[in-house]
Amino acid sequence: MESILIIEDEIDIAKLVGFNFERNGYSVDIAHDGREGLEKILKNQPDLVILDLMLPEIDGYKILKKMQRDTRSHSIPVIMLTAKSQIDDRLKGLELGADDYITKPFSPKELILRAQAILKRNRVTPVAEDFLLGPFRFDKNALTFFVHDQPLPLSLIEFKLFLFLCQRAGQSQDRNHLLKVVWGYSDEIHSRTLDTHMKRLRKKLGKVGSFIETIRGIGYRVRQPE
Amino acid sequence: MESILIIEDEIDIAKLVGFNFERNGYSVDIAHDGREGLEKILKNQPDLVILDLMLPEIDGYKILKKMQRDTRSHSIPVIMLTAKSQIDDRLKGLELGADDYITKPFSPKELILRAQAILKRNRVTPVAEDFLLGPFRFDKNALTFFVHDQPLPLSLIEFKLFLFLCQRAGQSQDRNHLLKVVWGYSDEIHSRTLDTHMKRLRKKLGKVGSFIETIRGIGYRVRQPE
DNA sequence: GAAATGTGTGACAAAAGCGTCACGCATTGA
DNA sequence: TCAATGCGTGACGCTTTTGTCACACATTTC
């Protein structure tokens, strides 16, 4: 999710804008003065900054300048918020490095649109932190499991167990070892617990359950897909 | 601990090599002929096989071939041991699927080094994909959560929810958005579900639950630790 | 082919997880 | 200060998850 930092001292405006961005699926943070704004920029590295020109402590121009100089912030896009009377040629030319500006009063809708345009322009394909194996996909952030890109709900233990096996596909995993890793048991066999879970996994997986191989006398293995 | 199977009929060599591996922290098993070797491979599934080319019963090539064919062994790496006069055959060995070879006489040290290189290459140990934030640690592979390195069991939803918040520490997250992301709801508020989960999270977290901040009118935020 | 060993399965009960509600408290804004 | 709004909390009941058992079935061993 893309994050927006709004630097705006007028609380109502900040809230209004923030609310609208959030409703559009952005994560929003607000700073109420220049100092706080700059801190949050460097610390959180938002994907876009909405920056009011007139601010207490440090004004918008100064923030822009400082952002340019710091490698941590110089590539973060900025939309300036200005009153009509504040528009000057520098701003118009966007010489200072802002990516766009919008004059108060403005419609939140327009602001969102401009923001989206800029974000789209700057977007880098995010690295998906998914573990892939054959027809399986584990989204480790959303803790969601997919078979052929169809989500399949797994319980916590099932997810742990199967992820562990899939990450070691082709290698058989010892029963005790599985118990130790997934359950945290240090001792020996607990009845037929592991078998039962494997059964449930296989059942949920349906056809592709055949990827799970039983290694008699050892434990289980997920077959390495071709 | 990684396990090595040495298949070598010359007892002195086998012992020497075994001793050296053991001294380097490996668990070692020895087979003195091809038949025994193959059995042990299939039964114990060592992490690496040191295989002499010239063996009674079944020679090294045959063993390699058989290993390839059996899914239980085809992914186990092999280092071939050959006499100088047999070097010409090395290509044959590598073609058959050996991962490396070393000629007699060899230094145990070199053998260990080669073995380590191969084991490292084959090791599936997934990169520790832990997400760290202040006192918190999320092991995304083991799906285990830690506070100050003490494991704290979280339910699936709790893990999702808190991970999501922590990954966006410092940014407030909209209530509806959280519901959408964590629960998959597309619609609006469901009673006080989210609050209840936040309550449970805070309770489980104890003192460090204070990292969770309520942003009135918006949602929640995890405080960015210093 | 019979005994021994190991794995699969259905059923069951206990525990944990979960969503919802009613209500109290806190904050906000007039 | 009062009303309105939003959040926190304890309690309740419903599901899902889990571990265990008895026993069926499969494979190996002798």
Side-chain angles (χ1 to χ4, degrees):
Chain A
M1 187 173 42
E2 285 161 319
S3 59
I4 314 277
L5 174 64
I6 300 165
I7 309 180
E8 165 65 77
D9 59 318
E10 293 174 60
I11 298 192
D12 290 340
I13 295 185
K15 274 196 176 168
L16 174 70
V17 172
F19 173 70
N20 274 283
F21 272 108
E22 272 171 354
R23 223 179 34 181
N24 278 276
Y26 295 92
S27 115
V28 171
D29 194 8
I30 293 178
H32 295 293
D33 63 64
R35 175 182 314 286
E36 190 192 354
L38 209 46
E39 275 168 14
K40 289 194 168 174
I41 288 172
L42 297 179
K43 198 164 172 184
N44 305 333
Q45 309 228 40
D47 295 305
L48 173 68
V49 174
I50 309 290
L51 178 60
D52 192 11
L53 191 54
M54 293 293 289
L55 284 171
E57 301 266 351
I58 313 179
D59 75 31
Y61 286 137
K62 291 214 183 90
I63 291 185
L64 260 184
K65 270 190 203 157
K66 284 182 194 267
M67 282 182 69
Q68 302 300 315
R69 266 193 300 247
D70 196 313
T71 50
R72 284 172 294 175
S73 56
H74 78 273
S75 60
I76 298 175
V78 175
I79 297 181
M80 299 290 289
L81 249 41
T82 70
K84 261 231 167 70
S85 61
Q86 296 167 331
I87 303 184
D88 67 30
D89 292 338
R90 284 187 301 167
L91 194 52
K92 273 187 183 161
L94 301 175
E95 278 166 22
L96 287 167
D99 293 75
D100 202 349
Y101 70 96
I102 192 165
T103 56
K104 296 178 187 175
F106 55 86
S107 86
K109 199 171 173 182
E110 191 190 349
L111 178 55
I112 300 272
L113 286 176
R114 295 202 183 198
Q116 285 174 336
I118 288 174
L119 283 170
K120 195 173 176 185
R121 198 171 76 201
N122 284 52
R123 187 143 42 205
V124 206
T125 30
V127 192
E129 250 189 290
D130 290 0
F131 177 79
L132 296 162
L133 184 88
F136 308 126
R137 177 157 64 91
F138 296 82
D139 181 332
K140 295 193 214 165
N141 288 320
L143 294 194
T144 316
F145 171 72
F146 300 83
V147 177
H148 293 305
D149 285 318
Q150 291 296 311
L152 178 65
L154 296 184
S155 81
L156 192 60
I157 284 192
E158 286 161 359
F159 194 99
K160 280 190 188 188
L161 183 59
F162 197 45
L163 175 57
F164 186 85
L165 283 168
C166 284
Q167 283 179 327
R168 290 155 185 79
Q171 301 171 200
S172 65
Q173 300 300 318
D174 181 67
R175 298 175 70 93
N176 289 327
H177 195 239
L178 285 171
L179 282 169
K180 205 183 302 175
V181 172
V182 177
W183 278 265
Y185 296 161
S186 53
D187 23 44
E188 297 298 298
I189 297 180
H190 275 240
S191 161
R192 311 228 54 69
T193 300
L194 178 57
D195 307 69
T196 302
H197 279 280
M198 296 309 296
K199 181 194 63 173
R200 288 168 183 160
L201 245 176
R202 283 168 164 155
K203 191 176 176 188
K204 276 197 184 177
L205 290 174
K207 292 174 200 164
V208 287
S210 60
F211 271 85
I212 301 176
E213 299 172 324
T214 303
I215 314 298
R216 185 185 168 87
I218 307 279
Y220 295 90
R221 177 176 58 194
V222 166
R223 178 158 48 82
Q224 189 80 252
E226 302 312 318
Chain B
M1 187 168 46
E2 284 163 318
S3 58
I4 315 278
L5 175 63
I6 299 163
I7 310 180
E8 165 65 78
D9 59 317
E10 291 174 61
I11 298 192
D12 290 340
I13 295 185
K15 275 193 177 168
L16 173 69
V17 173
F19 173 70
N20 274 283
F21 272 109
E22 271 171 355
R23 221 179 37 179
N24 278 275
Y26 296 91
S27 116
V28 172
D29 194 7
I30 293 178
H32 295 290
D33 63 65
R35 176 184 312 288
E36 191 192 354
L38 209 47
E39 275 167 15
K40 288 196 170 174
I41 287 171
L42 296 179
K43 195 167 175 184
N44 306 332
Q45 307 224 43
D47 296 304
L48 172 68
V49 174
I50 309 291
L51 178 59
D52 190 11
L53 191 53
M54 294 293 288
L55 285 170
E57 299 267 350
I58 313 179
D59 75 32
Y61 288 138
K62 289 213 185 91
I63 291 186
L64 261 183
K65 270 191 202 157
K66 283 183 193 269
M67 282 182 70
Q68 301 303 313
R69 266 195 300 253
D70 196 312
T71 52
R72 284 171 295 175
S73 57
H74 78 276
S75 60
I76 298 175
V78 174
I79 296 181
M80 299 290 288
L81 251 40
T82 69
K84 262 233 167 69
S85 61
Q86 299 165 332
I87 298 184
D88 293 338
D89 294 332
R90 67 174 187 255
L91 261 180
K92 205 170 163 191
L94 292 177
E95 270 170 21
L96 281 171
D99 293 73
D100 202 350
Y101 70 95
I102 192 165
T103 56
K104 298 180 187 176
F106 54 87
S107 87
K109 198 172 176 183
E110 190 190 349
L111 179 54
I112 300 272
L113 287 176
R114 296 203 183 198
Q116 285 175 336
I118 287 175
L119 284 169
K120 193 174 177 187
R121 192 173 80 203
N122 281 52
R123 192 145 40 202
V124 207
T125 323
V127 191
E129 261 183 276
D130 290 2
F131 177 79
L132 296 161
L133 184 87
F136 308 125
R137 177 157 65 91
F138 296 82
D139 182 333
K140 294 194 215 167
N141 289 320
L143 293 196
T144 315
F145 171 72
F146 300 83
V147 178
H148 292 305
D149 285 319
Q150 291 298 310
L152 178 65
L154 296 185
S155 80
L156 197 58
I157 283 192
E158 286 161 359
F159 194 96
K160 278 191 191 187
L161 182 58
F162 197 45
L163 174 59
F164 186 85
L165 283 169
C166 284
Q167 283 178 326
R168 290 153 186 80
Q171 305 169 193
S172 65
Q173 301 300 319
D174 175 60
R175 297 175 70 91
N176 289 328
H177 199 243
L178 285 170
L179 282 169
K180 206 183 303 177
V181 172
V182 177
W183 278 265
Y185 295 161
S186 51
D187 23 43
E188 297 297 299
I189 297 179
H190 275 241
S191 162
R192 311 229 55 68
T193 300
L194 178 57
D195 306 68
T196 301
H197 279 280
M198 297 309 297
K199 183 194 61 173
R200 288 168 182 160
L201 245 176
R202 282 168 164 153
K203 191 176 177 188
K204 275 196 185 177
L205 291 175
K207 292 176 199 164
V208 288
S210 60
F211 270 85
I212 301 176
E213 299 172 324
T214 304
I215 314 297
R216 188 186 166 86
I218 307 280
Y220 295 90
R221 179 175 56 193
V222 166
R223 179 160 48 81
Q224 188 80 253
E226 302 312 315

